C-alpha cells in the first residue's frame, strides 16, 4: 500500500534507550564484546599517523577486492548513515519511496533535503515481506533494508532486484547482511542490476559505532556523484585502517563464525518468546534482532527498564505502533535472564494471561 507520510520520531535510535543508564542493552544491534582485541590493536597503531591526512586508497581497494569489484564502484563513508545523506543530496530525485517498517534515517535524510517521501508499508499479515507490486512504478528512488531493521525479515535477492527500472535508483541497506550466515540474498557485488546502490556498515558486527565506517557500492557514475557531495577527508585514518582490517580473509571468517553463533542464539530467544501467549513474534527473523508484538508494550518496556533491561521501542518506525518492541540477540545467559524479566514485566504491566 502506498501512503503519504505521517508523523513519527524518525530521529529516535536505539542508543537513546540506554544512554546515561546502566541497563542490559537489548536496544542496540551492535554485537557484544566488540571490537575484538586484534582490531583494537590495529586501530590503536594507526594513531601514530594522525598528523597526515587520511588516505582512503588502501581501504577502498580492500573493500573492492572483498566484493570482487573495481575500486571505482566503492565509496567509503562515515557509517551507512552518511550514505543516506549523500543519496538525498547528490541525486536528482523526484519521487522517492521508502519501504517501511525499516531504519528511519533514509527517510529523515530525504526529508531534510527537501523531498516529499512516499511510503510503502509492509504488513504483519504478510509477514512483513516485500510485494514488489506495491512499489509505485513512477518511483525514481526506492529504499529497502535487507535483512530489514526492525522486522529482521530477509527478502529474496531476486525479489528486491525485480524493483530495478530504467531511471530508478534502487538502494538496498545491507547493514546487517554480514550477520546472516553465507550472506545469502546479498546484492553486494552485483553489477547486473541497473541503478543498484548497496550500502554496508562495519559498525554492527565489529563494534565500531563510535568510529563511523561504512561504504556504498554502485555504478562508477553514481559513486562519483556521491563522492562529490562529501567533504574533504570524510573518513578518518583510524576508520580507514579498521575498514581495511575487516576485509581480510581472517576477519571475514570471524564474521561468518559470529553469524552462525547469532543464528543459534536467535533460535534460543525465539523459542523462549514462543512460551509467552501474550507475545507475538515475527518468526521469520534472520538478523541479529527480533521484533515482537505485545499489548501495552510501551508499559512492558518501562517495566523491563525497572528490571534492568533496555528494549527498543517500535512506535518510531512507520508501519508500527507502541505495541511493538525490537530485541537484540544476545548470549544464552543474557537471554535467559531477559526472559525471566519479561515474565515479570508482563505481570507488572497487567498483560499476563495467567
Amino acid at each position: 500500500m502506498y501512503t503519504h507520510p505521517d508523523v513519527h520520531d524518525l530521529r529516535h535510535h536505539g542508543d537513546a534507550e540506554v544512554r546515561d543508564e546502566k541497563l542490559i542493552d537489548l536496544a542496540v544491534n551492535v554485537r557484544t564484546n566488540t571490537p575484538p582485541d586484534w582490531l583494537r590493536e590495529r586501530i590503536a597503531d594507526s594513531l601514530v599517523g594522525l598528523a597526515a591526512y587520511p588516505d582512503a586508497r588502501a581501504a577502498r581497494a580492500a573493500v573492492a577486492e572483498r566484493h570482487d569489484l573495481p575500486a571505482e564502484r566503492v565509496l567509503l563513508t562515515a557509517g551507512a548513515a552518511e550514505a543516506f545523506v549523500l543519496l538525498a543530496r547528490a541525486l536528482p530525485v523526484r519521487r522517492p519511496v521508502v519501504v517501511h517498517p525499516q531504519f528511519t534515517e533514509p527517510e529523515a535524510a530525504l526529508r531534510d533535503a527537501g523531498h516529499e517521501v512516499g511510503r510503502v508499508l509492509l504488513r504483519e499479515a504478510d509477514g512483513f515481506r516485500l510485494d514488489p507490486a506495491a512499489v509505485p512504478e513512477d518511483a525514481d528512488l526506492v529504499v529497502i533494508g535487507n535483512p530489514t531493521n526492525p522486522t529482521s525479515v530477509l527478502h529474496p535477492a531476486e525479489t528486491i532486484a525485480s524493483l530495478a527500472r530504467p531511471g530508478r535508483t534502487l538502494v538496498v541497506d545491507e547493514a546487517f547482511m554480514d550477520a546472516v550466515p553465507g550472506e545469502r540474498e546479498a546484492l553486494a557485488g552485483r553489477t547486473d542490476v541497473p541503478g543498484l546502490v548497496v550500502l554496508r556498515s562495519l559498525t554492527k558486527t565489529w563494534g565500531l559505532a563510535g568510529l563511523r565506517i561504512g561504504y556504498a557500492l554502485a555504478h562508477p557514475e553514481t559513486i562519483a556523484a556521491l563522492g562529490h557531495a562529501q567533504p574533504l577527508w570524510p573518513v578518518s585514518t583510524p576508520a580507514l585502517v579498521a575498514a581495511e582490517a575487516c576485509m581480510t580473509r581472517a576477519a571475514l571468517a570471524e564474521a561468518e563464525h559470529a553469524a552462525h553463533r547469532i543464528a543459534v542464539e536467535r533460535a534460543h530467544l525465539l523459542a523462549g518468546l514462543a512460551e509467552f501467549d501474550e507475545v507475538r513474534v515475527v518468526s521469520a527473523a534472520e538478523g541479529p534482532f527480533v521484533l515482537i508484538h505485545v499489548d501495552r508494550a510501551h508499559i512492558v518496556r518501562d517495566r523491563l527498564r525497572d528490571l534492568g533491561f533496555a528494549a527498543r521501542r517500535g512506535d518510531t518506525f512507520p508501519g508500527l505502533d507502541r505495541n511493538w518492541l525490537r530485541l537484540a540477540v544476545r548470549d544464552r545467559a543474557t537471554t535467559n535472564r531477559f526472559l525471566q524479566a519479561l515474565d515479570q514485566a508482563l505481570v507488572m504491566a497487567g498483560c499476563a494471561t495467567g
Side-chain angles (χ1 to χ4, degrees):
M1 180 177 64
Y2 180 72
T3 68
H4 291 288
D6 53 5
V7 177
H8 285 79
D9 184 3
L10 300 178
R11 293 297 189 186
H12 181 88
H13 299 296
D15 60 310
E17 310 278 358
V18 293
R19 193 175 297 144
D20 301 325
E21 293 191 54
K22 293 183 178 179
L23 298 171
I24 296 175
D25 180 13
L26 303 184
V28 176
N29 292 323
V30 173
R31 186 163 63 100
T32 54
N33 300 317
T34 54
D37 289 342
W38 62 265
L39 184 54
R40 293 176 191 270
E41 291 170 5
R42 286 287 298 273
I43 294 169
D45 290 345
S46 74
L47 300 182
V48 298
L50 292 186
Y53 286 97
D55 184 345
R57 289 176 296 178
R60 189 182 190 190
V63 171
E65 181 179 0
R66 182 255 197 270
H67 292 288
D68 196 23
L69 293 170
E72 293 75 20
R73 282 183 168 268
V74 176
L75 182 71
L76 298 167
T77 59
E82 187 204 3
F84 292 124
V85 174
L86 298 176
L87 287 162
R89 295 179 179 178
L91 301 185
V93 178
R94 300 183 314 279
R95 193 178 185 191
V97 168
V98 179
V99 179
H100 285 290
Q102 80 146 14
F103 184 50
T104 54
E105 203 59 31
E107 179 169 328
L110 286 162
R111 285 195 192 187
D112 288 347
H115 298 290
E116 181 177 346
V117 183
R119 290 177 178 167
V120 171
L121 300 181
L122 305 185
R123 304 186 313 138
E124 182 192 6
D126 300 324
F128 292 110
R129 297 189 180 281
L130 172 66
D131 175 7
V135 177
E137 279 296 322
D138 62 348
D140 61 353
L141 183 143
V142 177
V143 184
I144 185 169
N146 203 36
T148 302
N149 171 21
T151 65
S152 204
V153 170
L154 183 67
H155 306 287
E158 293 312 315
T159 300
I160 294 179
S162 72
L163 294 175
R165 300 283 188 280
R168 172 184 288 178
T169 299
L170 174 59
V171 180
V172 185
D173 177 7
E174 292 189 350
F176 295 100
M177 187 61 78
D178 60 355
V180 176
E183 295 194 2
R184 65 187 192 282
E185 312 305 344
L187 287 169
R190 292 276 293 270
T191 59
D192 60 322
V193 181
L196 177 66
V197 179
V198 174
L199 305 181
R200 287 288 182 107
S201 170
L202 299 177
T203 63
K204 319 298 185 187
T205 289
W206 296 111
L208 299 175
L211 196 59
R212 311 307 308 143
I213 179 64
Y215 53 89
L217 307 173
H219 189 279
E221 290 183 5
T222 301
I223 292 297
L226 299 178
H228 289 152
Q230 281 184 311
L232 289 172
W233 311 292
V235 181
S236 70
T237 295
L240 293 172
V241 167
E244 185 178 359
C246 291
M247 296 301 114
T248 64
R249 289 185 179 181
L252 295 176
E254 183 175 326
E256 179 70 6
H257 176 77
H260 284 277
R261 178 85 274 167
I262 288 168
V264 171
E265 301 296 1
R266 183 181 59 242
H268 180 68
L269 173 59
L270 290 173
L273 292 170
E275 297 297 318
F276 293 93
D277 293 336
E278 307 87 348
V279 176
R280 193 163 69 241
V281 183
V282 180
S283 58
E286 296 281 359
F289 47 88
V290 301
L291 183 66
I292 68 170
H293 179 282
V294 57
D295 290 340
R296 306 176 74 189
H298 59 297
I299 299 176
V300 174
R301 173 174 159 271
D302 288 341
R303 299 293 79 80
L304 284 170
R305 295 182 73 84
D306 294 340
L307 295 168
F309 288 85
R312 171 65 159 89
R313 57 189 279 204
D315 61 321
T316 64
F317 294 101
L320 302 181
D321 58 27
R322 65 181 187 173
N323 292 320
W324 292 92
L325 296 173
R326 190 193 69 197
L327 308 171
V329 174
R330 299 299 187 221
D331 63 90
R332 183 161 301 210
T334 300
T335 293
N336 289 342
R337 291 197 299 272
F338 165 73
L339 292 170
Q340 292 175 347
L342 178 61
D343 189 32
Q344 297 178 56
L346 290 169
V347 173
M348 295 163 67
C351 301
T353 60

